[in-house]
Amino acid sequence: MNIDIKKLARTNILNMQPYSSARDESGGIQGVFLDANENPFGENNRYPDPYQQKLKQKISKIKKIEPNQIFIGNGSDEIIDHIYRVFCRPGKDKVLFFNPTFGMYQVAAELNEVEIIDIPLTPDFQINLEEAKKYFSDENLKVVVICTPNNPTGNHINSKDIDFILENFKGIVAIDEAYLEFSTQKSYLNQINNYPNLIVFQTLSKAWGIAGVRIGMAYANPEIIQLLNKVKHPYNISVLNQKAALEVLHNQEEFEKRVKMILSEKEKMKEEFKNIPIITKVYPSDTNFFLVEFTDANKVFQELLEQKIIVRNQSSKIKNSLRITVGSPEENEKLIQALKNIS
Ligand SMILES: Cc1ncc(COP(=O)(O)O)c(C=O)c1O
């Protein structure tokens, strides 16, 4: 598809001169660093690599893409914000997404004064294409966000609908694959070579298990990556966070073991839920959580809280429902016992 990214991006971003850090200007030469007013003593006294090259090398090997197709954010939250900053003029441009979905798409839009086109998911939590495509010709609609598998519903979005959007929408298509590793759905990552307007983003917070470290990855064509680099804060990923991310990525065996464990716990929980009378529905899940409908979700939520079991009440978005993360075997056992007692 022939899409001019420069025409989509905000002109002030295209024209601005990004901050040039001391380490940018020294061009990667290692030596006596007297250029950044750092303290010569102690650990972590040096600024981090602003472009996280070691980390990108590692990610590029795992994901089989080029380092210049990768942007690293302080969590995917930062990536969402940066996509809006690059492409949406405050007070003028729009983003479209499908609700209920991950709340940060809305918060970041409000923060950046981006108008929201909010399209409800169908009753089986799929994209309402008929509704969505009415907006594709709006030239102020700059970004469509698709969350697959979706939070909080837990299901994946049908790939034929995503393909339709990729084929027919000429703005930025941002696909959030935060829960991909728990799903059987294939990643859209390889499609970045076919669609210059596609941004796929993933995170180390879920399957990789380091939510506390705050690492999100965006994958896109190098032109988009350059624009994201322009708006990011110079040292957005700390030395400690780059190190922690590399450590976890080097231990792929442990990652695979843990994902397997979570998926097997998930199956056990699903079986247990069948024997709990206050549960009226367990929605299909391609993630590490369940959306569960109860006879009285608010009451169950409160009673669990009293037992110090914290789940997420989704009843304001989806009738009588709680979102329950798959925990460790001990944690899941506590939850199941508590639900049985409440029943
Ligand atoms: C769909 C989705 N995307 C992104 C995130 C946030 O990811 P990160 O921790 O990388 O900011 C979450 C967190 O719950 C999520 O559910």
Side-chain angles (χ1 to χ4, degrees):
M1 200 162 29
N2 212 359
I3 290 178
D4 187 351
I5 297 300
K6 285 200 182 64
K7 284 212 176 108
L8 284 176
R10 289 166 63 196
T11 359
N12 64 310
I13 304 291
L14 292 171
N15 295 339
M16 74 179 260
Q17 195 59 35
Y19 178 74
S20 174
S21 68
R23 291 298 127 81
D24 274 339
E25 289 176 11
S26 63
I29 298 173
Q30 297 295 311
V32 179
F33 286 121
L34 303 175
D35 59 343
N37 302 343
E38 296 152 329
N39 189 314
F41 307 113
E43 266 178 60
N44 300 314
N45 56 330
R46 299 291 172 197
Y47 283 106
D49 172 2
Y51 297 109
Q52 311 95 20
Q53 292 170 79
K54 276 194 193 144
L55 193 50
K56 285 183 184 167
Q57 286 292 346
K58 184 69 194 164
I59 294 170
S60 99
K61 283 209 184 94
I62 296 175
K63 300 288 173 182
K64 300 186 174 55
I65 55 168
E66 296 301 320
N68 68 359
Q69 296 175 303
I70 305 171
F71 174 84
I72 299 179
N74 193 336
S76 322
D77 292 345
E78 190 180 50
I79 292 171
I80 297 161
D81 178 70
H82 286 0
I83 294 173
Y84 293 163
R85 283 200 209 184
V86 168
F87 295 102
C88 303
R89 294 166 299 172
K92 287 188 180 150
D93 288 331
K94 303 174 192 174
V95 56
L96 182 153
F97 48 81
F98 304 90
N99 257 320
T101 192
F102 181 46
M104 276 308 289
Y105 311 148
Q106 172 158 347
V107 172
E110 285 172 1
L111 191 66
N112 289 291
E113 214 188 334
V114 178
E115 192 182 316
I116 296 165
I117 301 172
D118 171 358
I119 306 218
L121 289 167
T122 61
D124 57 349
F125 299 146
Q126 289 296 326
I127 280 178
N128 184 341
L129 260 189
E130 285 310 307
E131 230 3 78
K133 69 184 185 193
K134 289 182 192 162
Y135 297 91
F136 288 0
S137 53
D138 181 343
E139 61 183 31
N140 291 337
L141 173 60
K142 293 288 167 58
V143 181
V144 170
V145 187
I146 302 165
C147 185
T148 185
N150 187 42
N151 174 15
T153 60
N155 61 301
H156 72 255
I157 302 300
N158 291 334
S159 41
K160 70 170 179 20
D161 294 343
I162 302 176
D163 294 344
F164 180 90
I165 294 177
L166 281 169
E167 282 298 321
N168 292 282
F169 178 60
K170 308 273 185 277
I172 296 296
V173 180
I175 303 183
D176 183 348
E177 295 187 337
Y179 298 97
L180 180 89
E181 294 93 340
F182 301 111
S183 160
T184 48
Q185 191 181 33
K186 69 172 181 23
S187 171
Y188 273 81
L189 178 56
N190 293 331
Q191 297 295 338
I192 61 172
N193 294 317
N194 299 329
Y195 297 98
N197 55 334
L198 170 62
I199 305 174
V200 172
F201 54 105
Q202 299 179 349
T203 178
L204 298 188
S205 295
K206 309 294 176 183
W208 288 94
I210 50 168
V213 177
R214 313 302 303 128
I215 300 280
M217 296 85 69
Y219 310 111
N221 87 64
E223 204 177 354
I224 292 183
I225 300 298
Q226 284 294 348
L227 290 167
L228 293 172
N229 280 337
K230 248 181 147 176
V231 302
K232 85 180 184 72
H233 289 182
Y235 301 112
N236 62 327
I237 312 291
S238 76
V239 171
L240 299 177
N241 290 2
Q242 294 190 39
K243 204 165 146 229
L246 268 169
E247 261 165 37
V248 85
L249 289 170
H250 274 117
N251 201 347
Q252 205 149 348
E253 225 171 87
E254 186 62 26
F255 155 78
E256 280 160 18
K257 204 171 96 192
R258 287 184 186 175
V259 170
K260 245 192 216 151
M261 175 93 149
I262 291 169
L263 291 176
S264 118
E265 278 300 303
K266 185 177 154 185
E267 282 310 305
K268 279 193 223 157
M269 284 169 86
K270 206 160 121 189
E271 281 307 302
E272 291 283 5
F273 286 158
K274 288 182 186 157
N275 305 319
I276 296 172
I278 50 170
I279 292 181
T280 44
K281 185 171 184 173
V282 179
Y283 290 91
S285 164
D286 294 302
T287 60
N288 65 335
F289 61 83
F290 288 102
L291 183 70
V292 183
E293 187 190 79
F294 288 86
T295 44
D296 187 344
N298 290 332
K299 190 158 164 267
V300 176
F301 177 76
Q302 278 310 327
E303 292 194 24
L304 287 175
L305 210 52
E306 278 160 27
Q307 299 182 52
K308 299 200 167 13
I309 298 175
I310 304 128
V311 297
R312 197 97 188 246
N313 195 346
Q314 298 291 336
S315 303
S316 63
K317 299 176 192 157
I318 302 152
K319 190 173 67 80
N320 256 333
S321 64
L322 302 181
R323 196 190 67 193
I324 302 174
T325 309
V326 179
S328 67
E330 300 74 40
E331 290 170 334
N332 301 334
E333 183 53 36
K334 269 192 194 153
L335 169 89
I336 298 294
Q337 272 317 318
L339 289 177
K340 283 183 177 162
N341 293 340
I342 296 170
S343 287

